[in-house]
């Protein structure tokens, strides 16, 4: 089996791109990824993976892998589109990883894209995304993403004494990192008071506890270890992956609303394959779709004990200089969340960190990085571990 | 014209394999399926057991009381719904958990562990028709 390397990464700015289509965004991300490597032209790819959550509803466009190939100019002997709600990006990376690892392809382009701001209002976009929720047993009540994560927040706060201020600290830290990331959706620093005073979305979660819906695209180029040096002097290797899906898709089916049980299992798998422990990770990008999610994730990834995530954040352990800097790209909360692109953007941020290319103010001297991406109510999880 | 809303789906309540569940709601009964081979109770109801894959499922009536396991109050909802909406996950006396509206309490009135009872009322479903469904009422 081949070792798999990342040799290029690119991303658009995340935000509202009223002047660009989904395929425009994908082209721009791929252009940057190709230009970040050496000696690659679009004709060199023989694998293509597209991660996009919702083009059928947002663009009324099906057959998306074929549709995007036209605009990207790509021909491939292996091509597929993956979708698993918000974890689509990491599922795409893992699909590309498997294609390279097995020897099916030599050079694989993984592209994630979502274009939301074609619909006229945020409630229209919310309606479009309520398709991801069980239609019979949840969506019929007007449920949407904040509802489920608020259920975790209420329970975690009740059992472990986590406070709204702890949640706010996550948002403030991630915005501070985003202020150093010109590609982030939101870059203006915020305070704990700003978060606490923002309007309720799904109590106890407030507006600034929630990530935005964004337009954007991100791309990663994968190849096998032996070929990596043809394309860059500083490849980054995928050391291990771990994925887990648990059959608890409806909020009332989740056995424990104080933890991401599936993540504990996915993380264990990834650590085992990478032959490392949580303490070996130098920098992590986690799926902070809501502030409470980051707290549950640092617990499930083993960076701190269960129930102590809030305290760990309060003590600065997830900031620069702490035990494990988390979301140095700004996180979903501030960088933004174009659904299918997010997991791929996370990999790009770790690629930048491990190559020593992250700018001052969010650079970590890191040898080992980790990304974590989730779908559903955290019941579908993917963890990827990277090394220099 | 609304450009996008949660579009209606048209589940055929008269022909679905779990018709008995919908019919019982009209009589003020809340049913789940229980596997007669391994004993696992399933909610949402299923026609095959997800544990032992037996298709020998029987209907059982669920208890009418439970406690709040977690809850939230939604202030931003898709087109077609009117906020605020208080919803909860409730654990019944037999351990089965359900999700629905809490109809007589706001977020600030609730805490984990509060006792609720099951009630029934007409709800707008996404076929834009009224259907009876179960809701929670704080005791």
């Amino acid at each position: 089996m081949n070792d798999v390397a990342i040799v290029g990464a690119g991303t658009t700015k995340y935000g509202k791109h009223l002047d660009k289509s989904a395929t425009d965004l994908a082209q721009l991300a791929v252009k940057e990824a190709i230009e970040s490597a050496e000696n690659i032209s679009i004709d060199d790819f023989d694998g293509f993976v597209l991660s996009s959550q919702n083009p059928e509803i947002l663009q009324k466009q099906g057959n998306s892998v074929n549709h995007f190939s036209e605009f990207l100019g790509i021909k491939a002997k292996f091509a597929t589109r993956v979708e698993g709600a918000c974890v689509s990006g990491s599922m795409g990376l893992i699909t590309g990883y498997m294609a390279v690892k097995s020897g099916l392809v030599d050079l694989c382009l993984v592209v994630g894209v979502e274009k939301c701001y074609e619909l006229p209002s945020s409630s229209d976009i919310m309606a479009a995304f309520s398709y991801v929720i069980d239609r019979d047993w949840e969506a019929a009540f007007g449920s949407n993403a904040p509802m489920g994560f608020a259920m975790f927040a209420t329970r975690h706060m009740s059992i472990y004494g986590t406070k709204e201020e702890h949640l706010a600290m996550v948002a403030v830290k991630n915005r501070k990192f985003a202020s150093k990331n010109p590609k982030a959706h939101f870059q203006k620093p915020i305070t704990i008071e700003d978060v606490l005073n923002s309007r309720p979305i799904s109590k106890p979660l407030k507006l600034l506890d929630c990530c935005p819906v964004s337009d954007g695209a991100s791309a990663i180029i994968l190849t096998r270890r032996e070929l990596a040096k043809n394309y860059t002097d500083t490849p980054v290797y995928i050391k291990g992956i771990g994925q887990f899906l648990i059959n608890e898709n409806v909020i009332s089916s989740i056995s424990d609303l104080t933890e991401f049980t599936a993540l504990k299992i996915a993380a264990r798998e990834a650590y085992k394959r990478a032959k490392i422990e949580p303490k070996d990770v130098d920098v992590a990008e986690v799926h902070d779709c809501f502030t409470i999610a980051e707290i549950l994730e640092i617990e499930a990834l083993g960076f701190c004990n269960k129930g102590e995530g809030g305290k760990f954040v309060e003590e600065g352990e997830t900031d620069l200089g702490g035990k494990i800097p988390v979301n140095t790209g700004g996180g979903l909360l501030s960088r933004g969340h174009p659904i299918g692109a997010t997991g791929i953007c996370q990999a790009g941020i770790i690629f930048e960190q491990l190559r020593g290319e992250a700018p001052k103010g969010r650079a970590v001297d890191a040898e080992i990085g980790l990304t974590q991406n989730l779908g559903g109510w955290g019941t579908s999880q993917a963890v990827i571990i990277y090394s220099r | 014209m609304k450009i996008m809303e949660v579009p209606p789906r048209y589940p055929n309540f008269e022909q679905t394999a779990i018709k008995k569940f919908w019919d019982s709601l009209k009589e003020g009964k809340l049913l789940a399926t229980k596997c007669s081979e391994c004993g696992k109770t399933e909610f949402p109801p299923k026609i095959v057991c997800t544990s032992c894959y037996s298709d020998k499922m029987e209907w059982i009536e669920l208890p009418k009381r439970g406690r709040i396991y977690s809850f939230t109050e939604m202030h931003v909802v898709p087109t077609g719904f009117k906020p605020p909406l208080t919803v909860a996950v409730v654990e019944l006396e037999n351990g089965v958990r359900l999700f629905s509206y809490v109809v007589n309490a706001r977020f600030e009135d609730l805490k984990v562990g509060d006792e609720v009872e099951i009630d029934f009322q007409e709800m707008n479903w996404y076929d834009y028709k009224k259907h009876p469904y179960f809701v929670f009422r704080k005791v």
Side-chain angles (χ1 to χ4, degrees), chain A residues 315-355:
Chain A
E315 288 168 353
E317 299 290 13
T318 55
D319 205 339
L320 286 188
K323 282 191 177 127
I324 169 78
V326 172
N327 281 330
T328 60
L332 283 64
L333 283 168
S334 289
R335 187 183 68 240
H337 186 27
I339 315 293
T342 285
I344 295 164
C345 188
Q346 290 178 322
I349 288 160
I350 295 298
F351 181 68
E352 182 187 50
Q353 285 284 13
L354 297 186
R355 284 160 45 117

Side-chain angles (χ1 to χ4, degrees), chain A residues 84-99:
Chain A
C86 305
V87 71
S88 301
S90 286
M91 285 180 166
L93 285 171
I94 291 172
T95 304
Y97 167 87
M98 292 192 295

Side-chain angles (χ1 to χ4, degrees), chain A residues 24 29 35 38 59 64 98 174 260 263 314 317 323 335 338:
Chain A
D24 292 343
E35 289 171 357
E38 289 162 38
Q59 277 77 50
S64 46
M98 292 192 295
N174 293 355
F260 287 149
L263 178 55
E314 185 174 8
E317 299 290 13
K323 282 191 177 127
R335 187 183 68 240

